[in-house]
Amino acid sequence: METTGRLGERGVAAAAQGMPADARRSVDGYLMAAFPWYGLDEAFTGPRWLMQVGAAADGIVEYGSTGHGEEPSLKVETDMDQQRFTVVVTVASRPGRDSADGTGKLEATSVSSAAWLAGSGLLSCTWPTRMERALRQDWLDQQTAIAWELADDLEGESWSQLSLPVDGVPTDFHYRESEYGWVLAGTANEDVHIGAYGRGMSAYGLGFAVVKDIARYDGQDG
């Protein structure tokens, strides 16, 4: 993404997570994307909300997330075991290419890219809030490294196969569960890869579909 390999993906993800809420949730970034966004299909009737988009150094939107269910909270008083949400990550399918400034090469995006963004996204909203502040960063660094290693080994024993409908067509996903929730990743079509993560909502029985009107997630009519 912004730079070659995992540092680029980590940089974009961290930058998006650190954006102010109003900028992060703006529908404008979603409207700038040259690829279709995915969310849960019409079988899901609960709340829908925007999360964030990630862009390369040249401003081209590379990925973004849509939320479903209850927005996760990191407040200490929140009982994480009671939270119910699913986040769908859409990642543009990109070939290997020159960086925007012409000084290097960007790696192609893949299902592993979607798995990494989904895994790190799950960590960002489920880390132990009652942990001592001094230990939080060490914990997050450790778990983030594990998430990357898992995303790099989708054929490993940590993953199983799960078939879910994408635009009504059965599609194979790589799927894993942890004490923090679940993560899955697969390819929707030639344009995008899909990642997803959730807690309190079972991944079994979910379906994904192209978002026909992203303003619906922004609480707007259109």
Side-chain angles (χ1 to χ4, degrees), residues 21-32:
D22 55 348
R24 188 172 68 239
R25 296 170 182 271
S26 171
V27 73
D28 295 342
Y30 292 83
L31 295 174
M32 292 172 61

Side-chain angles (χ1 to χ4, degrees), residues 3-222:
T3 57
T4 303
R6 90 175 59 174
L7 291 179
E9 293 184 358
R10 287 186 179 184
V12 171
Q17 291 170 5
M19 291 169 60
D22 55 348
R24 188 172 68 239
R25 296 170 182 271
S26 171
V27 73
D28 295 342
Y30 292 83
L31 295 174
M32 292 172 61
F35 54 89
W37 295 107
Y38 273 81
L40 295 185
D41 62 20
E42 292 302 317
F44 175 77
T45 59
R48 297 171 184 254
W49 30 275
L50 296 179
M51 293 191 67
Q52 70 258 0
V53 298
D58 56 6
I60 295 177
V61 175
E62 300 281 1
Y63 79 92
S65 303
T66 54
H68 309 77
E70 303 168 3
E71 294 192 49
S73 173
L74 290 176
K75 293 180 179 179
V76 173
E77 63 271 18
T78 300
D79 185 350
M80 289 190 179
D81 290 333
Q82 299 301 315
Q83 294 188 345
R84 299 182 68 256
F85 64 88
T86 293
V87 172
V88 180
V89 184
T90 306
V91 183
S93 179
R94 307 285 196 208
R97 60 211 187 277
D98 293 332
S99 60
D101 59 9
T103 61
K105 296 284 186 180
L106 300 181
E107 292 183 354
T109 58
S110 65
V111 177
S112 288
S113 306
W116 152 245
L117 289 168
S120 60
L122 180 64
L123 288 174
S124 73
C125 61
T126 58
W127 53 271
T129 54
R130 291 177 174 81
M131 181 180 294
E132 287 185 32
R133 186 178 300 274
L135 299 177
R136 288 178 187 174
Q137 191 59 52
D138 288 343
W139 179 90
L140 190 58
D141 288 345
Q142 179 189 53
Q143 295 299 319
T144 298
I146 292 173
W148 178 262
E149 291 171 2
L150 289 169
D152 239 5
D153 186 25
L154 293 177
E155 302 303 325
E157 61 182 15
S158 296
W159 297 89
S160 60
Q161 294 294 311
L162 178 62
S163 180
L164 297 173
V166 176
D167 294 322
V169 178
T171 302
D172 291 332
F173 287 88
H174 300 275
Y175 174 80
R176 68 177 177 87
E177 295 180 357
S178 73
E179 62 182 298
Y180 308 110
W182 54 263
V183 172
L184 60 78
T187 296
N189 54 49
E190 63 183 15
D191 296 320
V192 300
H193 306 290
I194 290 179
Y197 60 93
R199 185 182 179 99
M201 292 174 60
S202 173
Y204 294 86
L206 295 181
F208 305 100
V210 168
V211 176
K212 297 179 180 178
D213 180 13
I214 194 65
R216 177 182 180 187
Y217 283 79
D218 198 32
Q220 302 176 15
D221 295 324

